Amino acid sequence: MRRLRRALVAASTLLLVSGALLPASARATELFGGLGTTGVELGVAERVGGAAGLRMSAEFLKVGRNFESDGATYDTKLKFSSLGLYGDYFVAGGGFRLSAGAVIGTRKATGNAVATNGTLSINGSSYPAAGESVGAEAKFPSAAPYIGIGYGHHQPSKGSGFYLDLGVVIGKAKTTLSPSAGIVAAAGQANVDAEQRKLQDSVDKLKAYPVLKFGFSFAF
């Protein structure tokens, strides 16, 4: 949270300074909000003259799913709480743009499996595990680069508009496996470590998180 607050202050200062230094005819401010794979987005954009623009947005996502399978209950969650800092380059003077920046904050996926009357699988073998559990977490880097393309935030005039973003946040997640003591005793630490490596290998295949966002804006 301390890193997130520092980034927020720095980005706010950058937007304010750019607005103060440029003549009124060369700048426009926009408030925007939308939805996407990073969750709910609320932000501010500043056209800093010519073909360049700056954006800052807060992005929040919290989704979960509970289900049962093979005698076990599963609880999974995806939670993001981050700050996006972006620079835009508008192509040919229109709304189409190239974008780059960074996403700073917490982004993680968690899961927990509890065996009610069945078994749990560790390293390819199943173990009787009534009442036992296995937790897993995949945590993305707290700061990661973003690249993408999009439309909007060009503020050609005062009033409402819309925007669309398509890109990726680059960075692989680090995983943690947390089995209960009974599972460790039944399967053995070597099998638990092997399952941890399998989980990390699976997550490593996802080298970037896809971003698709759309929403509405108001320039003034």
Side-chain angles (χ1 to χ4, degrees):
M1 286 301 295
R2 186 176 300 172
R3 185 185 291 110
L4 187 60
R5 287 196 296 269
R6 286 201 298 264
L8 180 61
V9 171
S12 300
T13 302
L14 180 61
L15 287 175
L16 290 173
V17 169
S18 67
L21 295 179
L22 289 168
S25 60
R27 66 179 190 264
T29 301
E30 175 192 271
L31 300 178
F32 61 89
L35 297 170
T37 56
T38 57
V40 176
E41 178 182 48
L42 297 172
V44 58
E46 182 86 12
R47 186 70 174 266
V48 294
L54 295 173
R55 284 182 290 129
M56 176 178 67
S57 64
E59 301 165 0
F60 304 97
L61 175 67
K62 187 176 182 180
V63 295
R65 182 189 175 201
N66 299 326
F67 61 95
E68 294 186 4
S69 178
D70 297 329
T73 300
Y74 295 85
D75 178 15
T76 60
K77 291 183 176 65
L78 186 63
K79 185 177 181 180
F80 290 0
S81 179
S82 56
L83 174 72
L85 305 173
Y86 308 104
D88 297 321
Y89 177 77
F90 295 93
V91 179
F96 178 75
R97 55 185 159 77
L98 306 177
S99 301
V103 174
I104 303 167
T106 300
R107 298 177 299 129
K108 63 181 181 180
T110 59
N112 190 61
V114 178
T116 51
N117 58 3
T119 62
L120 290 175
S121 178
I122 298 291
N123 195 28
S125 299
S126 296
Y127 299 92
E132 301 294 337
S133 64
V134 176
E137 178 183 83
K139 191 172 184 179
F140 292 92
S142 58
Y146 168 87
I147 56 173
I149 59 174
Y151 181 88
H153 300 306
H154 54 300
Q155 306 117 345
S157 61
K158 296 180 180 180
S160 59
F162 73 95
Y163 67 91
L164 175 69
D165 281 282
L166 178 64
V168 290
V169 179
I170 301 170
K172 295 184 291 187
K174 182 179 180 180
T175 64
T176 303
L177 194 68
S178 304
S180 61
I183 289 293
V184 177
Q189 189 62 50
N191 282 322
V192 171
D193 292 343
E195 185 69 23
Q196 165 75 60
R197 290 191 295 270
K198 287 182 179 180
L199 177 62
Q200 185 65 59
D201 289 344
S202 296
V203 172
D204 282 346
K205 295 176 182 177
L206 180 65
K207 296 179 174 62
Y209 183 83
V211 174
L212 173 62
K213 298 186 288 188
F214 61 92
F216 297 94
S217 60
F218 184 82
F220 57 93

